[in-house]
Amino acid sequence: MSNPKGDFIWYELLTTDVDAAVADWTAAGGSVQMPAMDIPNVGRIPMLADPDGVPLYVMRGTSDASSTAFRIADARHVRWNQIAAKDDAAALGFYKARFGWEVVGAMPMGAMGDYHPPSTGSTSAR
């Protein structure tokens, strides 16, 4: 959905290699807002911003177990995330290249443009 301010709701995406994800992110026009750091017993995490300036985290946890943060069947887990980008097509292309997201239709939102629900088989970055 288009938004000239590029507002957001926070994202945290998982990756197997934080440093490689940061290098790919910046090479594609994103920026680093907070350098990657290791949090004991949690994992490695930087704060990034996409080319529109929308911030998010990528993370590699200390555990090899799959994250359950987005398991919607469980109480108090993430149910909804969104990014309102300045340029829908550019943002969708950027995130598709980074995380493999595909658009699965569109929901008209009047003057704001269309809402594009993303889909992926995983919550993990490549």
Side-chain angles (χ1 to χ4, degrees), residues 22-89:
V22 169
D24 174 66
W25 190 269
T26 56
S31 62
V32 175
Q33 302 298 301
M34 177 188 78
M37 64 179 184
D38 295 310
I39 302 171
N41 302 313
V42 175
R44 185 163 177 76
I45 186 168
M47 183 195 299
L48 307 174
D50 72 12
D52 274 340
V54 176
L56 60 84
Y57 290 104
V58 294
M59 180 178 183
R60 168 64 172 110
T62 55
S63 169
D64 287 330
S66 295
S67 172
T68 62
F70 291 90
R71 192 165 51 198
I72 62 173
D74 292 351
R76 298 182 303 276
H77 285 242
V78 176
R79 301 286 193 281
W80 190 274
N81 276 310
Q82 69 185 38
I83 296 173
K86 296 174 189 172
D87 180 339
D88 286 357

